[in-house]
């Protein structure tokens, strides 16, 4: 079959672009966040080129041109950000603030750039201030000990080689002061009481290898039990206890006495926010677990005080109303016409898949096209992470094909067909839409929580008396309620 000249030209452009792609599509782990962003940008451009190639195979020149133009626009924008990072004294920190300001347009680009520079400088100053506060709790950094690396270790090795003498073992206490500055896994400042307990235990060891494990391996292992954000939060709450207890002559900072900590909770009940007691209790328990001693939070008195704090600060919960199958039927009637637009099909996908799969917004927003697989009787969704998956092992959600007009699998198939993404596309399935001459087109940018909520509430607004009683969680709650009313096992619903 002979292609038109214009089609042959586009085919050659796509072929030359595809040859430059790597065969591996799995995203590796990156040490640098900038490298991760660059890799993600390359994948997005690659997906657009794949879409153009698929359109050429279908002889859809208009769609292929649109995909290539969008890829070209993404490359130009990336080049602009690279030039901006190279010109700014703060580098990519300025770019991050510049991109985050979505409310600005090109007409105010210079004003937007100045704003990004100020915000990046403010965040850098705040980070420097926090770093200085943490350094107050760190000991001096002596010469490197055996088992460490760096210039100090290299100097010690040369000294031994040239003098043929064996250097004396550094004291165990110096070992402990060095681990915090040299080990990348030990990023958080350790409370003074915990550090002293580690030093005391290590001072009793005679074997150098055991002292090295106690100084480097064990602290890093213990601190890795919690995420960095969790450790930072606990450390801030612990500082509040340190400040308060240090101002009272009769109270020891560490270890914490159960009665003294109950008095601290009583102090927070009148001066602290709602979350202060819970955060303080978790922080005290964490610090004592690092030191290997029992926590005062297990005391019945402390538990009773925490319950009293919660009751004093409690407020009635306002649960969102569940969306019923009748409401979804009305949404389908309004947006499920045969000539439905891409925006209408997106509404149906969000509502029916979230309802049938009991999905949270975080589950739905993390889905990509390659995570969704179709079979004759079902659809499977691979969730790489979820709120209940603490160890990030991933999970699979199976949604059955009902062969009815309200079938969620059919809604997903219609939406994906209109999107035009390749089956192995790494782009998120929920993306922003833009108006073009040929109609609505998806971009490479994901849909935010706020915009998704607006889309769903606008869709159900004509069919509910008070739309403020509903939210995105109403879809998950409605699906679970409907399943329970159909005598589905509660074990399967919770799973």
């Amino acid at each position: 079959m002979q292609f038109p000249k214009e089609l042959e030209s586009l085919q050659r452009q796509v072929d030359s672009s595809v040859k430059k792609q790597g065969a591996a599509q799995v995203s590796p782990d990156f040490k640098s966040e900038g490298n991760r962003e660059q890799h993600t940008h390359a994948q997005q451009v690659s997906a657009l080129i794949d879409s153009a190639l698929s359109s050429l195979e279908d002889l859809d020149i208009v769609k292929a041109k649109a995909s290539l133009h969008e890829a070209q626009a993404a490359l130009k924008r990336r080049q602009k950000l690279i030039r901006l990072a190279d010109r700014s004294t703060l580098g990519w920190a300025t770019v991050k603030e510049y991109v985050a300001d979505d409310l600005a347009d090109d007409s105010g680009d210079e004003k937007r750039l100045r704003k990004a520079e100020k915000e990046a400088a403010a965040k850098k100053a705040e980070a420097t201030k926090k770093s200085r506060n943490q350094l107050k709790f760190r000991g001096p950094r002596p010469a490197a000990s055996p088992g460490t690396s760096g210039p100090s270790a290299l100097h010690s090795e040369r000294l031994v080689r040239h003098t043929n003498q064996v250097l004396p073992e550094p004291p165990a206490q110096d070992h402990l002061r060095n681990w915090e500055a040299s080990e990348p896994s030990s990023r958080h400042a350790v409370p003074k009481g915990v550090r002293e307990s580690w030093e005391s235990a290590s001072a009793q060891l005679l074997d150098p290898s055991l002292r090295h494990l106690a100084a480097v391996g064990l602290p890093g292992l213990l601190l890795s039990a919690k995420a960095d954000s969790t450790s930072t939060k606990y450390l801030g709450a612990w500082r509040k206890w340190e400040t308060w207890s240090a101002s009272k002559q009769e109270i020891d900072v560490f270890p914490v006495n159960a009665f003294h900590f109950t008095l601290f909770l009583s102090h927070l009940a009148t001066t602290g926010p709602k979350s202060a007691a819970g955060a303080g209790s978790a922080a005290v328990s964490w610090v004592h677990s690092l030191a290997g001693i029992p926590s005062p939070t297990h005391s019945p008195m402390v538990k009773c005080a925490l319950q009293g704090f919660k009751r004093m600060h409690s407020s009635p919960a306002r649960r969102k109303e569940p969306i019923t199958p009748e409401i979804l039927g009305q949404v389908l009637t309004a947006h499920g016409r045969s000539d439905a637009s891409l925006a209408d099909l997106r509404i149906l996908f969000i509502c029916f898949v979230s309802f049938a799969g009991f999905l949270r917004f975080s589950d739905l927003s993390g889905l990509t096209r390659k995570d969704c697989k179709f079979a004759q009787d079902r659809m499977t969704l691979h969730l790489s992470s979820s709120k209940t998956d603490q160890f990030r092992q991933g999970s699979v959600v199976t949604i059955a094909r009902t062969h009815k007009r309200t079938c969620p699998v059919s809604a997903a198939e219609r939406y994906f067909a209109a999107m035009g993404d390749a089956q192995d596309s790494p782009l998120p399935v929920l993306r922003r839409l833009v108006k073009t001459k040929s109609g609505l087109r998806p971009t490479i940018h994901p849909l935010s929580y706020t915009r998704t909520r607006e889309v769903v509430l606008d869709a159900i607004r004509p069919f509910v008396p008070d739309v403020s009683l509903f939210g995105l969680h109403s879809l998950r709650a409605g699906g679970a309620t409907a399943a329970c009313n159909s005598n589905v096992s509660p074990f399967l619903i919770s799973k």
Side-chain angles (χ1 to χ4, degrees):
M1 177 179 179
Q2 296 295 328
F3 290 94
K5 293 182 178 179
E6 186 177 9
L7 183 58
E8 291 180 350
S9 176
L10 286 173
Q11 183 71 50
R12 287 193 299 271
Q13 294 177 16
V14 172
D15 289 340
S16 61
S17 300
V18 171
K19 290 180 181 178
K20 297 179 182 179
Q21 291 181 321
Q25 295 296 331
V26 178
S27 179
D29 294 332
F30 292 94
K31 297 180 180 179
S32 170
E33 185 63 25
N35 292 340
R36 182 188 303 277
E37 293 178 359
Q38 184 67 18
H39 185 270
T40 302
H41 167 75
Q43 282 187 319
Q44 292 171 348
V45 174
S46 176
L48 290 171
I49 295 176
D50 288 340
S51 177
L53 181 60
S54 178
S55 300
L56 287 176
E57 293 177 352
D58 298 336
L59 301 183
D60 189 349
I61 300 178
V62 175
K63 188 175 181 180
K65 280 185 175 181
S67 298
L68 289 175
H69 286 323
E70 190 172 348
Q72 185 182 33
L75 289 174
K76 289 183 177 180
R77 176 172 175 78
R78 190 65 182 176
Q79 290 173 344
K80 176 182 178 181
L81 296 180
I82 293 174
R83 292 195 301 269
L84 175 60
D86 184 67
R87 186 177 64 180
S88 173
T89 56
L90 297 175
W92 285 99
T94 301
V95 174
K96 185 176 181 181
E97 299 299 329
Y98 178 83
V99 174
D101 190 7
D102 289 332
L103 298 179
D105 55 10
D106 292 339
S107 60
D109 203 54
E110 194 65 30
K111 179 180 177 181
R112 179 180 171 188
L113 177 58
R114 290 195 299 269
K115 180 182 177 182
E117 290 273 8
K118 292 181 180 179
E119 292 180 352
K123 288 188 176 181
K124 183 178 181 180
E126 182 65 19
T128 304
K129 182 179 178 181
K130 289 182 179 179
S131 177
R132 289 175 180 174
N133 291 337
Q134 290 183 352
L135 286 175
K136 293 191 300 182
F137 299 93
R138 298 185 177 182
R141 181 174 183 175
S145 56
T148 60
S149 59
S152 299
L154 182 61
H155 174 72
S156 300
E157 181 183 352
R158 289 174 178 172
L159 184 60
V160 172
R161 185 169 64 248
H162 287 291
T163 60
N164 293 324
Q165 297 178 0
V166 179
L167 295 179
E169 280 290 326
Q173 188 171 357
D174 291 341
H175 248 305
L176 277 166
R177 291 197 181 114
N178 187 50
W179 75 264
E180 216 175 87
S182 62
E183 281 296 308
S185 61
S186 307
R187 292 184 294 275
H188 297 282
V190 178
K192 180 180 178 181
V194 176
R195 187 169 64 247
E196 290 177 349
S197 67
W198 288 347
E199 292 175 353
S200 176
S202 299
Q204 304 175 13
L205 300 174
L206 300 178
D207 191 331
S209 62
L210 293 180
R211 290 207 306 269
H212 178 73
L213 288 175
V216 179
L218 181 60
L221 183 64
L222 294 176
L223 291 177
S224 299
K226 301 293 182 182
D228 290 347
S229 58
T230 304
S231 299
T232 302
K233 181 180 179 180
Y234 286 171
L235 194 62
W238 174 256
R239 297 286 184 251
K240 293 181 181 180
W241 158 256
E242 283 185 328
T243 303
W244 183 82
S245 58
S247 65
K248 314 297 180 183
Q249 295 182 355
E250 304 176 63
I251 297 180
D252 294 330
V253 177
F254 184 84
V256 181
N257 179 273
F259 178 69
H260 294 164
F261 186 64
T262 306
L263 296 179
F264 177 63
L265 294 178
S266 179
H267 165 71
L268 292 179
T270 57
T271 60
K274 293 182 180 180
S275 60
S281 176
V284 168
S285 177
W286 172 68
V287 170
H288 283 72
S289 65
L290 290 178
I293 59 178
S295 172
T297 55
H298 299 311
S299 167
M301 180 185 293
V302 174
K303 292 181 179 180
C304 188
L306 288 172
Q307 290 295 331
F309 189 95
K310 291 179 180 179
R311 289 182 63 85
M312 289 176 59
H313 292 80
S314 63
S315 57
R318 295 187 58 187
R319 295 181 178 273
K320 295 297 183 180
E321 293 291 329
I323 291 179
T324 63
E326 291 74 19
I327 297 177
L328 287 183
Q330 293 173 314
V331 171
L332 178 61
T333 303
H335 300 276
R337 301 181 302 273
S338 59
D339 59 342
S341 66
L342 184 56
D344 292 328
L345 296 178
R346 186 178 63 180
I347 292 174
L348 298 182
F349 173 79
I350 295 173
C351 293
F352 283 88
V353 174
S354 298
F355 184 90
F358 312 155
L359 300 182
R360 301 177 178 87
F361 171 76
S362 58
D363 300 332
L364 197 63
S365 62
L367 283 177
T368 63
R369 180 62 183 87
K370 62 182 179 181
D371 294 328
C372 307
K373 306 296 182 183
F374 293 92
Q376 186 176 2
D377 58 345
R378 65 187 178 275
M379 173 179 68
T380 57
L381 308 176
H382 178 262
L383 305 181
S384 58
S385 63
S386 65
K387 183 178 179 180
T388 56
D389 184 15
Q390 297 182 355
F391 298 102
R392 298 299 185 262
Q393 295 177 344
S395 58
V396 176
V397 175
T398 302
I399 301 177
R401 189 187 296 272
T402 64
H403 300 286
K404 298 180 180 178
R405 61 185 296 267
T406 57
C407 178
V409 180
S410 299
E413 288 176 334
R414 291 185 64 187
Y415 175 61
F416 291 154
M419 289 282 287
D421 292 341
Q423 293 186 2
D424 58 347
S425 172
L427 295 175
V429 294
L430 287 186
R431 305 205 297 274
R432 303 178 194 173
L433 304 179
V434 294
K435 291 183 179 180
T436 64
K437 294 181 179 179
S438 58
L440 291 175
R441 295 280 300 169
T443 66
I444 61 176
H445 304 290
L447 200 63
S448 66
Y449 173 87
T450 303
R451 180 54 184 157
T452 306
R453 184 175 181 272
E454 291 175 352
V455 167
V456 172
L457 294 185
D458 288 342
I460 67 172
R461 192 184 305 274
F463 314 118
V464 296
D466 187 2
V467 75
S468 65
L469 301 177
F470 296 85
L472 287 181
H473 194 73
S474 299
L475 294 167
R476 171 180 165 86
T481 302
C484 185
N485 293 337
S486 301
N487 297 323
V488 177
S489 171
F491 172 76
L492 295 177
I493 296 176
S494 62
K495 186 177 180 181

